[in-house]
Amino acid sequence: MPTLVCLGDSITAQQKDREGVLKLTPRLQQSLPNWKVINSGVPGDNTKNALNRLQTDVLDYCPDLVTVLLGTADASKNKGTKIQEYEDNLTSIVKQITPQKTLLITSPPIDQASLVERRIAFSQANFVTMQTLEKYVQVALKVAHSTGSHWLDLWSNMRSQLNYLEFLKVQDGVHFNQQGYEFFAPMLSRKIRSIENLD
């Protein structure tokens, strides 16, 4: 049975949200029953922290494939990393996993208006803009192409949907609700199956 490790931030982390909605890895496990799916997501994680835990949380599982969804925290004011450091970190992550076993996923878009309201209401320092985030998305695609790893452009796929803001939690603007996972998980499952069929 092949092993899939999902490395990422809060979009990946945990099995269910506070409302009991299934998140990413349980949905992947349901649609990929012949895979062993391991959740290595940590809420708020950036590439620097992910690099520090890569051995224990990813490589020690000897995975056949690793999804890497990191970038939103890197682009934020609070936990952010400079864009060159993000590129270097992401490249190092891919090379340690190996490109043929890495599926890089670009960050999803955010609801800018909800984030602005939340920042005003709660004085949140962990703030990110669409303009900044898009630059990090482009870097992720650059790393995917330069390393020859597999990739999925979640940013563009979501933005192609006129109702993509409905995939995000109200008054949150970053995290997926049930509709978000119902959009994302099947897309990712199809991508993984296509990679599996290439091997």
Side-chain angles (χ1 to χ4, degrees), residues 114-194:
S114 290
L115 272 181
V116 170
E117 290 176 11
R118 189 171 183 233
R119 187 186 190 197
I120 293 170
F122 301 104
S123 299
Q124 293 287 330
N126 193 16
F127 184 70
V128 61
T129 66
M130 281 282 280
Q131 183 178 16
T132 300
L133 186 55
E134 186 168 16
K135 293 176 183 177
Y136 283 72
V137 166
Q138 293 306 314
V139 167
L141 290 172
K142 176 184 174 184
V143 170
H145 292 303
S146 67
T147 59
S149 60
H150 306 284
W151 56 276
L152 176 64
D153 189 355
L154 179 58
W155 171 274
S156 296
N157 275 286
M158 279 186 66
R159 293 202 71 188
S160 70
Q161 305 294 308
L162 295 177
N163 64 333
Y164 82 85
L165 293 181
E166 295 178 10
F167 299 161
L168 304 170
K169 289 191 174 182
V170 177
Q171 295 305 316
D172 178 323
V174 174
H175 298 99
F176 288 174
N177 55 23
Q178 182 168 327
Q179 286 176 273
Y181 283 110
E182 287 173 352
F183 175 80
F184 176 35
M187 179 195 308
L188 182 53
S189 295
R190 289 192 296 271
K191 182 65 178 183
I192 292 168
R193 287 195 204 97
S194 74

Side-chain angles (χ1 to χ4, degrees), residues 21-76:
V21 172
L22 288 179
K23 297 184 74 175
L24 181 61
T25 52
R27 293 175 186 273
L28 291 178
Q29 189 64 81
Q30 288 174 0
S31 61
L32 302 167
N34 58 317
W35 285 76
K36 178 182 180 182
V37 180
I38 296 170
N39 190 322
S40 288
V42 170
D45 215 18
N46 61 18
T47 52
K48 182 179 179 180
N49 293 333
L51 259 178
N52 291 335
R53 62 188 183 87
L54 191 65
Q55 184 65 49
T56 56
D57 287 5
V58 177
L59 301 179
D60 283 353
Y61 290 107
C62 299
D64 296 277
L65 186 66
V66 181
T67 62
V68 179
L69 177 48
L70 295 161
T72 303
D74 288 272
S76 72

